[in-house]
Each structure stands twice: as structure tokens, then as C-alpha cells.
Amino acid sequence: MLDPKTRRPISAEDLSRLFSQACSEQELNTVDRWIDIPEPVREKYSYWRCTPLVRAYGLEEALSTPAHIYFKNESVSPIGSHKLNSAIPQAYYCSREGVTNITTETGAGQWGAALSYAAGVFGLECAVYQVKISYEQKPYRRSIMQVFGAQVTPSPSMSTRAGKDIITACPNHQGSLGTAISEAVELATTTPNCKYTLGSVMNHVALHQTVIGLEAEKQMALAGEYPDIVIACFGGGSNFGGIVFPFLRHTLADGVRTRYIAAEPASCPKLTRGEFRYDYGDASGYTPLIPMYTLGHDFQPANIHAGGLRYHGAGSIVSELLKQELIEAVDIRQLDSFRAGCLFAKTEGIIPAPESCHAIAAAVDEALKCRENHEKKVILFNLSGHGLVDMSAYDQYISGSMNNTGE
Amino acid sequence: MLDPKTRRPISAEDLSRLFSQACSEQELNTVDRWIDIPEPVREKYSYWRCTPLVRAYGLEEALSTPAHIYFKNESVSPIGSHKLNSAIPQAYYCSREGVTNITTETGAGQWGAALSYAAGVFGLECAVYQVKISYEQKPYRRSIMQVFGAQVTPSPSMSTRAGKDIITACPNHQGSLGTAISEAVELATTTPNCKYTLGSVMNHVALHQTVIGLEAEKQMALAGEYPDIVIACFGGGSNFGGIVFPFLRHTLADGVRTRYIAAEPASCPKLTRGEFRYDYGDASGYTPLIPMYTLGHDFQPANIHAGGLRYHGAGSIVSELLKQELIEAVDIRQLDSFRAGCLFAKTEGIIPAPESCHAIAAAVDEALKCRENHEKKVILFNLSGHGLVDMSAYDQYISGSMNNTGE
């Protein structure tokens, strides 16, 4: 990563002006193969972890596929998604370092809800900038953050210089993860004793999320299976890295042949149609420059319901893995994602988050290929969260008024 | 129970005109101490059961109480509430008996969502009558039922004679569980191969729900504790009976001194201010006459957010237990329930259903008494469901526009 001003490689000290010291060090750590989960974090994890690994018998039957389909059910966390896996350690590290206030951006609101709860757990104040279109489309996510005691502001807002600049240039800007990051970063850098946190893209977030894959690996072993294909939806890479990296190490070290598929929305296709280059993590150029597959930091994605996947870039590790063809990417259209999501709901009883529907759609595609080719592959996907706060999206799908590119 | 026409004790054969044969027999079974859970039901239960028993350390700390507070977390079911515990066996029995269509009423939509999913699991068509005020206030619950493939109609409707009569008498009727039951019962009795199902009140429903208390008993033993107080919210008695009855058997058989507290809304106080007598289960007098604490079958409850607690009567076993003073009841005002619910959300990370907030409020009251009296009691309550589809209610609470008696 490069400093946006000097264009020189950034140090952990540079990063720690924005992030907690511990996360800054984790971000650039290339020495330690394993980093222990602190005991207070493990204690909080124990509220809902280990999460279930489920064999999707109902889905298999509906697809008449010889494939074995497993999913890791991250929807059972208090917040309903995998985001809490990183919110808890990030809030913990901040509190251990004497920080009193934390801030962040959120799209669909899942990361914001996770951080709001985690902040409360460790006695921190929390301010969340929520992408304006999600703030308006998903008022319930805002309420969830407020119940947990967070202050929630729609972005772009007039409360920061970055927000004012964006609104001046584009008065009807509906917001993006990029605009919200700009505002949160500005708040963190101009408020004493306040740190910024991120729910995806960064290496330390993917690190925290690897608890998903590490658990899944042991659970698959209990089931006497090993995945031929591992699938996750893709926004910035946190749930993808979380489930994929622990399996990928066996590919890198022992040559185990597993396919890893990132499922991104067709309307925000950074992996399948983006460019690999240095780019900013936010819309206004406040963050370090990151080597990534990107659609450009000023990309304005369509208002698809999968708010968590509306981000212009991909985390650097995932980007490098894609460049080296160690992982694959597919793009999923909105209607196809909800069709797969409804099938999953009926057959497995869990209404998936619009983001997770992308992983399900990719898993269904692979399972159907297995049916065609009479192959008994083992498919594992990550159910990153449930969609109970996204029922208006399902309403639109059921009523036939949904399209593929936005609303 | 008495036949509404002949006023003679009803038989299982009578009941089976409405309910599945198996449930009809369970309803009146006074012989078998234990009734096995069928293997196909156990297999479906295994998707989410056993549910966690959680020590609420966060809540204890916030209350500075010496009490140990445990809750049984039924919110982790696919549907987000305990209702699936009875929906699965009821749908299974119907399918085993060759029934093709099932119907029911729902208030907040939790029972309807559970039955919609369960029907799909066993290949049945499902029609749900939802209390009109809930249908309008909680459109997301309707969407959930529709995603699972059910046909949902707001009650009172013009699709049944009972509905037409109610609308004729009271054109702006907002609906109640009573009106919805009348309509569903009429549909079941006038449609070939169609059975009615109920999510509460009946003995067979409480029987299915005892899986909650039986698990909790074993889990408490693992924790090396036994409850001094068992608490559940109270609508018709299903989650209350589910957690209480297994513990109560030790009180009845071995004299174990445990208090059992039913927490009902102050605006629908059948246990604390109702009358013990024979009454109908529905608004129009279609169901058998049940000996129950009741506010009268034509009682129109206030539009509180805890839609699942807006029922005029209590199940007969619970009613008899209250009459014999083996259990207690408290009434909770709406604002107090949400205050307790928000405290629980912040300290335990789970946003509780408005119904469950009543149990939490009662548990908090008991925990505060323990603080006052320096007593280290063990309190167990049932978290019957999560409130993620009820965020508009929390919005109202947070914004200060909620009152105690309705909206």
C-alpha cells in the first residue's frame, strides 16, 4: 500500500493514525503465520461461534444434483451476518489501546450494526456513516444500529468537508461505500481519541474472518469430506477471504486442487471486468493507495439490493490471487441471485441476505453442472448473513417489479 | 373441551374434523406420560436444535444483580422463533395422513411464517389468515410467508362467511387472532382434504413446545444449576408451556420449589384480570368451548406491537395451573417491555421480539428484587424469538412516540 501523498510504501505507524495499533500491525504483518485470537475476543465469539456447517439436503434434492452442497451458516450471529467476526476484535483492540470513539462506514448496514454492537460491548462510542440510498431503503438497519446506541448519519452528509464537497459537486448523490468511507475517515482524523474501522477490503479484516474457514475445515473433516469448490459472495473480500484462505493454504502448500469462486454482482463487476492497479479505497482519495482490481474509486454502482457488494474495489490479497489465477470470479445478475435465494429459503428454511444470494446462485450453477456431467463434487459456500431485514427486496422480487441493474 | 353445539365433551374424532388425527389424539391424551417425537420431525429439528442456553452475563452486569440469569435462545430457528417447534410436527402429521392443504391464522406472523415453511418442507399447500392490523403494520412478515410459498390473506376478509359477517358488523375491524381463527377454521371445514392448525392455546401445541424445557433442563444440569424462577411471555401459552411444563413436573412429583411466571401485556390481561370459564377460541364461536382464563372471545385488544400476545384467552392446562396457584402471572406495560428489550439488545447482542420483551421485563424485575434482597437466585427465561422484523416498533420506542396501550 502506498501513502496517497508521498506515494511511498505505507508503514504500520502511518496506518495507526487511522486504525488501532494492533490492526495496523496485523495489516502489514508478513512474518507470523498464525496470530492468536485474544482471550476477550474468544469469550465474545463464544456467544455464537462455532457457527453451524450445514449439509443442504433440501437444496440438493430440489436440484436433483449428485453434488454434496454444504454451507457455513454465519447468519446465526447476534447481528445476523459474518461482520461481527471482525467488529469484535477491532472494538476490543481500540478499547485496549485507550481509544474512546470509533467510526466507520456501512452500506447495507450489516457492518455498521456489527460495529455498533461491538462498540457497546467494550464501552466505546460509535458513529456510523451509512450510504444514503441504503439509509433510506433499509430504515430497519438504521434502527438496529440505534438500538445498539450508535449515532447514524446518511452519507454524503453536510457534517464533513468530504461530504460537503460531494454534495456540492453532485447534489443528488445517493451515496456509496466510497463517500461514506471518506466521511468516516475525516471524522476519525479530526476527532481526538477516535479511530476508524473497516468491515472489509483490508488484510486484517480478512484475517479476523478466517475463523469461518478454519472452523469449516474442521467441520468438513468431521463430515468426512473436503470441498472441491469453495464459494462466497464478493464485496470487498471479507467473507470470501474468511472462508477461502484457510482452504487455499492447502492448495499453496500441498497442491490440493480446489476451486475458489468469488460471486460478484453483474452491476459492480470489479473482479470480472475491473482493472488491476493502484486505487484509493474511498471516493475522495483519503485512504492509502491499494493494489487492487477496481472499477475506479469514483464508480457509482447501481442501486442493487445487495448493498454490501456495491464497492468499487477488491482487497489486495484477493486481487493478487485472482491475477495469479489461484481463484476465479463469476458475475451474477440481480434477478438470478434472488431466484436462487428464494429456492434456498424454501428448501433450507433460511431467507438469505441479498449478498449471500450471489454465493447461492454460483453454488446452484456448479451443482447443476455436476448434474449435467454426473459428477459428485463437494461444494461449500458461505452463507454470510440472513435477509430478514431485506424483505422489501424480496417483496419486489415476488411482485415481479425487480430488474437486473437497480431499481 | 365442549362441543359448541351440543355442549358435550368433545372427542378426538370430533377434533379430527378440524385437526390432523395425530394432533387430535394428542390433544385429549391423558394416558401416555411421554409421546415420542417422530423421526422425520427430529431430522428437521436437527437443522437448528438443540438451541443454545445462554448465561446472560452482560445483562447481569448491567443490573448489578447477584442473580444468575439464563435464557433459552429460541430465536435461532430458521424462522426466528419457537413456533417452528410445533409447525414441523403438525405439517408432518398432516402429510402422513394424506392431507394436501393446511390453513391457519397468524398475528404478528411468526406462527404463519413457521407453518408456511413447514408446509413446504412436507409438500403441502398453505393458506394463512393474518390479523389485518399486523398484515399492514408488519408487511415483512407477509413477505416471509410468501417467500415460503404461502397464500396470505388479511383478516377479516371477504373470502369467508365469518369474515363477511365481521366486516358487516364492524366495517373498520382491524382484526384479531379470534377473527383470523374463525376464517381459517371455516376454510378448513369447507375445503376437501384441508386441515386447520393452531400455533398456541391447544394442549398438543404445548406438548410439541416442551422440547424447549426438556433441552433447557439438561443444559441447566450441564451448567450445574437449577432454576428458582422460570419465566416466559404469554399469548396463548405455547412458549410458556414449552419451557415451564418440563420443570413443573418436578414440582408436582418431587415438590421442587420453583416459581413459574407468565408475563402478559397489560393491555391484554387475561391471566391477571380475566375470568376462568368456558369460552370459544375464536371470535365467531366456531371452535370447541375451552375452560380458560379469558377476556371474552369478542375482546378487541389494543394494537400493541407484541401481536403474538393479543389473544383473548389462555390454554386450558395453563389456566388450571394458575387457578391452582402453581404458576403466577404478571402484566407488563408496552413501554416497560421495550425498555427491557433495548437493555437486553445492548448487553446480549440480540434484538428480542416484542413478545419476548415481556419475559425479559419480568426477568429484569426479579433480578432487581434479588439485588435489593441480596439473593443469589437462578432465573431462566425463554427468548421466544428475535425482533429483526419488528424494527418499526423499536423505531417508535427510540423516537419517543410509543405509548403503553396501543398506537
Side-chain angles (χ1 to χ4, degrees):
Chain A
M1 279 192 284
L2 303 180
D3 183 293
K5 283 177 192 147
T6 66
R7 300 251 161 179
R8 286 177 136 163
I10 213 158
S11 69
E13 205 189 322
D14 296 331
L15 280 177
S16 70
R17 283 195 287 273
L18 211 52
F19 299 99
S20 68
Q21 188 66 39
C23 289
S24 301
E25 286 164 13
Q26 287 172 3
E27 186 65 25
L28 301 177
N29 189 326
T30 54
V31 179
D32 300 312
R33 264 193 96 62
W34 295 92
I35 294 175
D36 286 343
I37 303 173
E39 199 46 47
V41 172
R42 291 175 69 97
E43 194 255 317
K44 293 301 169 193
Y45 275 179
S46 73
Y47 273 50
W48 77 98
R49 304 209 70 88
C50 134
T51 63
L53 179 81
V54 183
R55 171 89 180 268
Y57 287 107
L59 184 61
E60 289 175 16
E61 198 185 325
L63 297 172
S64 302
T65 177
H68 289 189
I69 307 175
Y70 291 85
F71 64 92
K72 181 73 169 161
N73 186 0
E74 289 295 307
S75 80
V76 301
S77 95
I79 301 303
S81 85
H82 71 294
K83 291 293 186 187
L84 208 49
N85 299 332
S86 187
I88 291 285
Q90 290 198 50
Y92 165 72
Y93 291 129
C94 283
S95 105
R96 198 181 62 179
E97 295 169 18
V99 170
T100 55
N101 292 55
I102 56 180
T103 181
T104 196
E105 92 299 334
T106 197
Q110 288 183 330
W111 169 245
L115 196 74
S116 300
Y117 169 61
V121 164
F122 294 106
L124 307 172
E125 294 295 323
C126 182
V128 178
Y129 288 92
Q130 184 173 19
V131 177
K132 192 186 273 176
I133 184 76
S134 293
Y135 183 92
E136 285 162 4
Q137 272 181 4
K138 300 175 192 263
Y140 287 5
R141 293 261 192 226
R142 168 178 51 73
S143 313
I144 290 172
M145 293 185 264
Q146 288 170 332
V147 165
F148 289 134
Q151 184 195 318
V152 187
T153 308
S155 173
S157 77
M158 296 299 281
S159 71
T160 63
R161 187 168 58 78
K164 279 180 200 158
D165 288 350
I166 293 163
I167 290 172
T168 305
C170 180
N172 294 319
H173 201 298
Q174 297 197 292
S176 66
L177 284 170
T179 70
I181 292 174
S182 299
E183 294 203 84
V185 165
E186 183 180 324
L187 183 75
T189 50
T190 57
T191 308
N193 228 0
C194 179
K195 291 291 178 190
Y196 173 66
T197 68
L198 244 174
S200 191
V201 183
M202 305 295 279
N203 299 332
H204 66 270
V205 179
L207 169 73
H208 303 157
Q209 294 292 355
T210 53
V211 68
I212 302 171
L214 291 168
E215 284 180 5
E217 192 191 345
K218 294 199 172 183
Q219 291 169 312
M220 293 293 301
L222 285 174
E225 304 231 55
Y226 192 90
D228 299 302
I229 307 172
V230 183
I231 298 171
C233 65
F234 197 92
S238 79
N239 96 93
F240 179 82
I243 194 160
V244 161
F245 291 175
F247 289 100
L248 190 68
R249 79 185 198 277
H250 301 302
T251 298
L252 296 175
D254 312 316
V256 175
R257 292 170 70 93
T258 299
R259 289 173 59 207
Y260 308 97
I261 303 175
E264 66 180 7
S267 57
C268 191
K270 59 237 168 198
L271 295 178
T272 53
R273 275 169 280 167
E275 194 186 352
F276 185 84
R277 61 174 168 87
Y278 272 97
D279 198 4
Y280 296 102
D282 67 325
S284 302
Y286 280 26
T287 70
L289 284 160
I290 305 170
M292 50 158 60
Y293 276 94
T294 177
L295 296 161
H297 65 276
D298 54 355
F299 178 75
Q300 286 192 35
N303 304 327
I304 55 167
H305 287 286
L309 308 185
R310 296 168 71 250
Y311 183 67
H312 67 273
S316 59
I317 295 178
V318 172
S319 293
E320 182 63 27
L321 289 168
L322 182 67
K323 193 157 149 269
Q324 294 191 21
E325 298 181 357
L326 283 158
I327 64 168
E328 309 164 35
V330 294
D331 61 338
I332 307 283
R333 291 178 306 167
Q334 180 162 262
L335 279 167
D336 294 332
S337 73
F338 277 91
R339 186 176 306 117
C342 284
L343 176 65
F344 181 79
K346 280 185 194 161
T347 52
E348 296 298 324
I350 302 165
I351 295 180
E355 292 82 1
S356 313
C357 287
H358 290 74
I360 298 169
V364 166
D365 285 347
E366 292 298 327
L368 291 176
K369 278 183 213 162
C370 289
R371 182 174 75 184
E372 213 166 296
N373 305 328
H374 305 286
E375 283 178 312
K376 193 180 143 183
K377 286 190 177 163
V378 177
I379 300 169
L380 166 66
F381 73 87
N382 193 33
L383 184 76
S384 56
H386 65 61
L388 290 173
V389 192
D390 304 279
M391 290 314 301
S392 60
Y394 280 91
D395 240 9
Q396 208 181 72
Y397 176 75
I398 292 167
S399 67
S401 59
M402 181 181 283
N403 62 32
N404 273 324
T405 52
E407 285 140 63
Chain B
M1 280 192 284
L2 303 180
D3 183 293
K5 283 178 192 147
T6 64
R7 301 250 162 182
R8 286 177 140 164
I10 213 158
S11 68
E13 204 190 322
D14 295 331
L15 280 177
S16 70
R17 282 196 287 272
L18 210 53
F19 299 100
S20 67
Q21 188 65 38
C23 289
S24 301
E25 285 164 14
Q26 288 172 3
E27 186 64 26
L28 301 178
N29 188 325
T30 53
V31 179
D32 299 313
R33 264 192 97 61
W34 295 93
I35 294 175
D36 285 344
I37 303 173
E39 200 46 47
V41 171
R42 292 175 68 97
E43 194 255 316
K44 293 301 170 193
Y45 275 179
S46 74
Y47 273 49
W48 77 98
R49 306 208 70 88
C50 133
T51 63
L53 178 82
V54 183
R55 171 90 180 266
Y57 287 109
L59 184 61
E60 289 175 15
E61 199 185 324
L63 297 172
S64 302
T65 178
H68 289 189
I69 307 176
Y70 290 86
F71 64 92
K72 181 73 168 161
N73 186 0
E74 289 294 307
S75 81
V76 301
S77 96
I79 300 304
S81 85
H82 71 294
K83 291 293 187 188
L84 208 50
N85 299 333
S86 187
I88 292 285
Q90 290 198 51
Y92 165 71
Y93 291 128
C94 283
S95 106
R96 200 181 60 179
E97 295 168 18
V99 170
T100 56
N101 291 55
I102 55 180
T103 181
T104 195
E105 91 300 334
T106 196
Q110 289 182 331
W111 169 246
L115 195 73
S116 301
Y117 169 60
V121 164
F122 294 106
L124 307 172
E125 294 295 323
C126 181
V128 178
Y129 287 92
Q130 184 173 18
V131 176
K132 193 187 273 177
I133 183 77
S134 294
Y135 183 92
E136 285 161 4
Q137 273 180 5
K138 300 173 192 262
Y140 286 5
R141 294 259 193 229
R142 169 178 51 73
S143 312
I144 291 172
M145 292 185 265
Q146 288 169 332
V147 165
F148 289 134
Q151 184 195 321
V152 188
T153 309
S155 172
S157 77
M158 297 297 282
S159 70
T160 62
R161 188 168 57 81
K164 279 180 200 160
D165 288 349
I166 293 163
I167 290 173
T168 305
C170 179
N172 294 318
H173 202 297
Q174 297 197 291
S176 66
L177 284 170
T179 69
I181 293 174
S182 298
E183 294 203 84
V185 165
E186 183 179 325
L187 183 75
T189 49
T190 57
T191 308
N193 227 1
C194 179
K195 290 292 178 189
Y196 173 66
T197 68
L198 243 175
S200 192
V201 182
M202 305 295 278
N203 300 333
H204 65 271
V205 179
L207 168 74
H208 303 158
Q209 294 293 354
T210 53
V211 68
I212 302 171
L214 290 168
E215 284 179 5
E217 191 190 347
K218 293 199 172 182
Q219 290 169 313
M220 293 294 299
L222 285 174
E225 305 230 54
Y226 192 89
D228 299 302
I229 307 173
V230 182
I231 298 171
C233 66
F234 197 92
S238 79
N239 97 93
F240 178 83
I243 194 160
V244 161
F245 291 175
F247 289 100
L248 190 68
R249 80 186 197 276
H250 302 301
T251 297
L252 296 176
D254 313 315
V256 175
R257 292 170 70 91
T258 299
R259 289 173 58 207
Y260 308 96
I261 304 175
E264 67 180 5
S267 58
C268 192
K270 60 238 168 197
L271 294 178
T272 53
R273 276 169 279 166
E275 196 186 348
F276 186 83
R277 62 174 169 88
Y278 272 98
D279 198 4
Y280 296 102
D282 67 324
S284 302
Y286 280 25
T287 71
L289 284 161
I290 305 169
M292 49 158 62
Y293 275 95
T294 177
L295 296 161
H297 65 276
D298 54 355
F299 178 74
Q300 285 193 34
N303 303 326
I304 55 167
H305 288 285
L309 308 185
R310 297 168 71 251
Y311 183 68
H312 67 274
S316 59
I317 294 178
V318 171
S319 292
E320 183 63 27
L321 289 168
L322 182 67
K323 191 156 151 269
Q324 294 191 22
E325 296 181 0
L326 283 159
I327 64 169
E328 308 164 35
V330 294
D331 60 337
I332 308 283
R333 291 177 306 168
Q334 179 161 262
L335 279 167
D336 293 333
S337 74
F338 276 92
R339 186 176 305 117
C342 283
L343 177 65
F344 181 79
K346 280 185 194 163
T347 53
E348 296 297 325
I350 302 165
I351 295 180
E355 292 82 3
S356 312
C357 288
H358 291 72
I360 298 169
V364 165
D365 285 348
E366 292 298 327
L368 291 176
K369 278 184 214 160
C370 288
R371 182 173 75 183
E372 215 167 291
N373 305 328
H374 306 286
E375 283 177 312
K376 194 179 142 183
K377 287 191 177 162
V378 176
I379 300 169
L380 166 65
F381 72 87
N382 193 34
L383 184 76
S384 55
H386 65 62
L388 290 172
V389 193
D390 305 278
M391 290 314 301
S392 61
Y394 280 92
D395 239 11
Q396 206 182 72
Y397 177 75
I398 292 168
S399 67
S401 59
M402 180 181 282
N403 63 32
N404 273 325
T405 51
E407 283 138 63

